[in-house]
Amino acid sequence: MCGIVGVLGKHEVSPIILDALKRLEYRGYDSAGIATVNRGQLDRRRAVGKLINLSDTLVHEPLPGRAGIGHTRWATHGGPSVANAHPHQAGRVAVVHNGIIENFRALREELAAAGAHFSSETDTETIVQLASHYLDQGLTPVQAARATLKRLEGAFALAFLFEGEEDLIVCARRGSPLCIGHGEGEMYLGSDAIALGELTDRITYLEEGDWAILTRSGLQVFDAEDQQTSRPMTRINAAQARVDKSGHRHFMAKEMAEQPAVLKAAMEAYAGAGSEALDLPEGLDFTSADRLIMVACGTAYYACQVAKYWFEQFAGLPVEIDIASEYRYRAPVLGAANMALFVSQSGETADTLAALRHVAPHVGQVVAVVNVPTSSIAREASVVLPIHAGPEIGVASTKAFTAQLQVLALLALQAGLARGRLSAEDYRARLSELRAAPGFVAQALDREEEIRRMTEVLAKARDVLFLGRGVMYPLALEGALKLKEISYIHAEAHAAGELKHGPIALIDEDLPVIVFAPHDALFEKTVSNMQEVMARQGKVLLISDARGLVEAGDVPFTLQMPTVPDLIAPIVYAVPAQLIAYHTALHRGTDVDQPRNLAKSVTVE
Ligand code: M6R
């Protein structure tokens, strides 16, 4: 959460910082701000709400300067207000920060007792007050930054800018990502490489605990023990780091439409066109694993829930799954033969990362399925499987979900083969089913206009219920999450068979109930549960295939999906779940790509 940027430029930096912040706005949009040093003086502009407001402010009150830092905020401590917006400034120093300072209360009391006056409710202001205090004691800017860093507990990526220093930014990374960009006589920093994609393709990723001194002529990196160290500079694919909507109305629309191509790319990366053997990274050993532990958050967690069925069915592997924020605070029983698998689009989700760190010393294998291969989770896992989905900017995860499913399905098949539970023939047959997924997803996307019309009614609902059985239960959960996060309609999901144990009391003629039920082994059971809903006047939308819709009989609303093999049904049925949420949100006029209160990358616990 929160995005930070820093630029030591040859020209005015405010427009450059603003542009880089635009690419980080997915990390938070409660407020934004920029500080520069100009003729030795620190100055800043801040505005509540989206970046466009800061942009307007800068039109009326330009901010000159060739050295600057910028921030886009997802509020943690203190609501969205100008006073709480970054950069924070005290005396001769300004700071932007992503993360949480856990000991900020103690520091704040200490500083207030020493005479500091606080002007915000944020934890971040303690950083800047502390640095100012050290400057007042006669420390140099670099010494003051270093002394400040030593006092901070918690997770952060931050950047300091100092009065009188037009060729200096000090930055640090502990628990939140930070990368440095190398330009021609310019230096940049950003929360991720996407932010710097228009500026450079030469990136240095700071390691956990690093801090660094940036000047226009170079970069000095120090590790957590203050030893000067070197971190490699890598070339990134700048074209990939550049993101636009490619003519779509929203990033979410673009990302949904990309799914056939993304699934094809993921398949080709691991099972090159026509090849039978999977090209998997070394070190992945399903034969020695006695248990698979999968941990993730949100949509990635639902992908794990689907994959649990696959690993059990194809590989006979006992599977345990948990929500990352819960897992870390349990006392899980772990063993050297366990394989732990962490799924994350961003690879930066603080809860998932903390769970990985909690588990890693106790298990035999730590595997990550991520979209960002340079992310913290990828770096800390022993085996990394990228999902090859390309940048996902819309807050609602879409193409990452289906690509996660595709990669997890491949892993489950591989595990089945390796453990002798799946014959070579079955393995090949399942692989060719996965190869067909992009085509079926394209067919599901073709139902968009029909879905758009259906959602006119749904958009008026106060609550919506989603139902499914087996792998369609996590799909129902995913459908409810999508709808909640972008349309703000209350939605919940239940295993269809669980309805009669309580939630059926919710059913009345005003409650739309969306049922995911391909014609599979559980179809009859799901349809019986759907009948129970209809008998109580619930307004049902049944999403099924041709045979399912015929056998279900009279249902108020239906949506026909292509007839697909069971294995890929969750991937294909994810599409209507996404489109229902998207079009309901459009009817309600909500902000699809940047829904209220949310951020794309959740780097605080
Ligand atoms: O980057 P991650 O996959 O680790 O993110 C996990 C969740 O925060 C994420 O899936 C979230 O639930 C999405 N906004 C759902 O659309």
Side-chain angles (χ1 to χ4, degrees):
M1 345 281 318
C2 301
I4 69 171
V5 171
V7 178
L8 294 171
K10 289 192 281 201
H11 309 286
E12 295 296 296
V13 292
S14 290
I16 302 173
I17 293 175
L18 195 65
D19 198 52
L21 287 176
K22 272 184 202 146
R23 288 188 291 278
L24 285 180
E25 207 178 7
Y26 72 89
R27 300 175 74 93
Y29 30 84
D30 286 331
S31 65
I34 296 176
T36 58
V37 200
N38 185 40
R39 297 172 196 267
Q41 296 303 307
L42 275 177
D43 199 0
R44 58 186 169 153
R45 303 284 179 271
R46 299 178 292 168
V48 176
K50 293 193 176 181
L51 215 48
I52 188 77
N53 300 338
L54 177 65
S55 186
D56 287 351
T57 305
L58 286 165
V59 169
H60 301 295
E61 300 172 65
L63 185 63
R66 295 182 177 190
I69 53 178
H71 188 269
T72 177
R73 179 170 189 244
W74 186 80
T76 58
H77 296 66
S81 66
V82 171
N84 289 334
H86 299 217
H88 289 282
Q89 183 181 349
R92 291 174 284 148
V93 54
V95 162
V96 287
H97 166 220
N98 165 33
I100 288 181
I101 305 303
E102 286 168 0
N103 60 335
F104 88 98
R105 280 198 183 80
L107 291 173
R108 193 172 167 121
E109 277 168 25
E110 175 189 319
L111 289 158
H117 294 289
F118 283 81
S119 55
S120 79
E121 303 154 275
T122 64
D123 53 337
T124 306
E125 200 186 346
T126 55
I127 306 173
V128 83
Q129 292 282 3
L130 204 52
S132 173
H133 167 77
Y134 287 127
L135 286 174
D136 289 347
Q137 287 191 338
L139 270 59
T140 66
V142 171
Q143 289 168 341
R146 185 60 201 133
T148 302
L149 292 171
K150 286 200 182 302
R151 301 286 314 277
L152 304 179
E153 290 168 18
F156 50 79
L158 47 85
F160 297 86
L161 188 69
F162 300 91
E163 190 176 288
E165 300 286 347
E166 298 192 28
D167 191 21
L168 175 71
I169 294 177
V170 179
C171 61
R173 174 202 166 143
R174 198 188 300 162
S176 300
L178 191 59
C179 61
I180 310 296
H182 304 258
E184 298 302 328
E186 300 195 330
M187 289 295 282
Y188 322 105
L189 68 87
S191 292
D192 65 26
I194 291 177
L196 310 180
E198 293 289 335
L199 299 169
T200 181
D201 63 351
R202 290 178 294 149
I203 297 288
T204 298
Y205 292 93
L206 294 189
E207 298 282 342
E208 185 60 14
D210 284 354
W211 64 281
I213 302 171
L214 265 70
T215 62
R216 284 181 185 78
S217 54
L219 166 73
Q220 284 175 273
V221 182
F222 301 85
D223 64 17
E225 274 72 49
D226 288 348
Q227 297 301 311
Q228 189 161 356
T229 184
S230 66
R231 302 293 179 212
M233 187 177 72
T234 52
R235 293 249 176 208
I236 58 158
N237 182 339
Q240 255 185 21
R242 273 178 218 127
V243 281
D244 60 36
K245 294 182 196 153
S246 305
H248 290 271
R249 191 167 161 195
H250 297 101
F251 280 110
M252 184 180 175
K254 176 193 172 208
E255 288 157 7
M256 287 189 292
E258 282 174 346
Q259 289 178 108
V262 163
L263 294 172
K264 199 157 171 279
M267 199 66 195
E268 273 168 13
Y270 294 109
S275 124
E276 280 176 7
L278 293 192
D279 187 7
L280 293 173
E282 277 182 25
L284 198 62
D285 179 9
F286 285 108
T287 49
S288 64
D290 66 354
R291 191 157 58 107
L292 177 65
I293 300 157
M294 286 195 279
V295 184
C297 300
T299 286
Y301 172 70
Y302 298 142
C304 294
Q305 272 197 315
V306 173
K308 177 180 161 75
Y309 290 88
W310 292 334
F311 280 104
E312 288 172 348
Q313 178 189 348
F314 297 124
L317 191 56
V319 178
E320 188 185 312
I321 49 172
D322 211 336
I323 293 169
S325 55
E326 289 296 317
Y327 192 75
R328 188 188 170 190
Y329 297 103
R330 280 174 40 206
V333 182
L334 300 166
N338 297 168
M339 177 190 280
L341 195 158
F342 299 86
V343 181
S344 172
Q345 186 282 128
S346 62
E348 299 295 348
T349 300
D351 290 321
T352 311
L353 184 57
L356 183 154
R357 289 177 179 157
H358 184 59
V359 166
H362 310 292
V363 297
Q365 302 178 65
V366 178
V367 182
V369 172
V370 291
N371 194 26
V372 183
T374 51
S375 61
S376 305
I377 288 173
R379 286 150 177 269
E380 296 195 25
S382 45
V383 176
V384 182
L385 292 114
I387 58 168
H388 300 284
E392 191 182 67
I393 303 298
V395 163
S397 188
T398 52
K399 63 176 179 174
F401 178 64
T402 44
Q404 283 160 356
L405 289 177
Q406 178 106 334
V407 172
L408 290 169
L410 283 170
L411 285 182
L413 296 181
Q414 182 65 27
L417 189 69
R419 294 165 67 83
R421 298 285 290 241
L422 203 59
S423 71
E425 196 185 340
D426 276 348
Y427 171 81
R428 278 196 296 274
R430 299 288 92 78
L431 220 50
S432 63
E433 288 174 1
L434 275 177
R435 284 206 177 87
F440 285 121
V441 164
Q443 287 180 40
L445 284 164
D446 286 344
R447 315 312 304 257
E448 178 161 9
E449 178 51 25
E450 203 179 331
I451 292 174
R452 189 194 67 74
R453 276 185 266 115
M454 280 178 180
T455 51
E456 279 170 24
V457 181
L458 209 61
K460 298 186 184 103
R462 209 189 60 176
D463 313 283
V464 176
L465 202 60
F466 287 78
L467 299 178
R469 270 179 184 257
V471 289
M472 288 294 135
Y473 169 45
L475 240 287
L477 289 163
E478 170 64 0
L481 176 64
K482 287 284 93 86
L483 191 67
K484 272 184 279 213
E485 67 180 339
I486 63 169
S487 78
Y488 315 150
I489 293 177
H490 166 243
E492 44 182 275
H494 293 280
E498 188 65 9
L499 201 63
K500 57 188 175 291
H501 298 290
I504 201 163
L506 295 171
I507 307 291
D508 64 18
E509 65 282 2
D510 294 324
L511 185 72
V513 180
I514 299 176
V515 183
F516 293 100
H519 195 280
D520 58 14
L522 297 172
F523 178 76
E524 301 293 346
K525 302 265 180 223
T526 311
V527 164
S528 300
N529 302 135
M530 183 188 78
Q531 296 294 352
E532 292 155 13
V533 171
M534 283 165 38
R536 289 159 181 84
Q537 276 73 53
K539 271 195 241 144
V540 169
L541 162 60
L542 173 62
I543 306 178
S544 185
D545 46 36
R547 185 165 170 202
L549 293 183
V550 169
E551 286 187 20
D554 263 355
V555 181
F557 301 95
T558 57
L559 180 68
Q560 187 173 328
M561 286 289 105
T563 302
V564 297
D566 289 354
L567 173 61
I568 60 169
I571 299 174
V572 177
Y573 280 63
V575 173
Q578 298 162 354
L579 286 171
I580 285 171
Y582 178 70
H583 284 287
T584 306
L586 289 193
H587 288 308
R588 288 171 68 94
T590 52
D591 190 334
V592 168
D593 282 334
Q594 297 180 330
R596 69 185 181 200
N597 304 339
L598 287 166
K600 180 73 179 161
S601 186
V602 188
T603 56
V604 293
E605 272 195 71

